[in-house]
Amino acid sequence: KENKFGYKGALDRLNLSGAFKEYKKDKEHFIGHVGDVAEMVRIALTTSKNSPNLFQSMKILGKEEVSRRIDKTLNSKVLA
């Protein structure tokens, strides 16, 4: 079952809950919730902690650009 943002499959693969209440209710089932990674993804995509809605931004950028920006961040010397 997909949630309203369409990212349920990715969260399942990463073992993340889509909602803090769900995570808090069943911590043994999840390693965390989407909020734990959302800020890092936001910075990778926009280079800012403050941006419009993350999921809307991702939709506008498109899958290829989102992937490119995340790959660029993961391969940057800042993380090395």
Side-chain angles (χ1 to χ4, degrees), residues 36-73:
D36 293 333
V37 297
E39 185 174 14
M40 292 178 279
V41 172
R42 182 184 311 278
I43 292 169
L45 298 180
T46 68
T47 69
S48 176
K49 287 184 180 182
N50 301 313
S51 72
N53 178 283
L54 179 59
F55 301 103
Q56 292 295 327
S57 297
M58 291 171 73
K59 186 174 182 178
I60 291 167
L61 290 169
K63 185 177 181 176
E64 287 182 22
E65 182 63 15
V66 167
S67 293
R68 187 191 72 75
R69 290 183 186 198
I70 289 173
D71 287 344
K72 181 180 176 183
T73 300

Side-chain angles (χ1 to χ4, degrees), residues 2-21:
E2 290 293 312
N3 58 29
K4 66 181 178 178
F5 298 113
Y7 57 77
K8 174 106 173 77
L11 294 178
D12 288 345
R13 286 189 299 278
L14 296 170
N15 201 25
L16 292 169
S17 166
F20 181 72
K21 286 183 182 182

Side-chain angles (χ1 to χ4, degrees), residues 21-34:
K21 286 183 182 182
E22 178 185 34
Y23 165 69
K24 192 172 179 180
K25 187 176 178 180
D26 190 10
K27 287 184 179 180
E28 288 76 38
H29 183 76
F30 302 104
I31 62 168
H33 63 92
V34 71

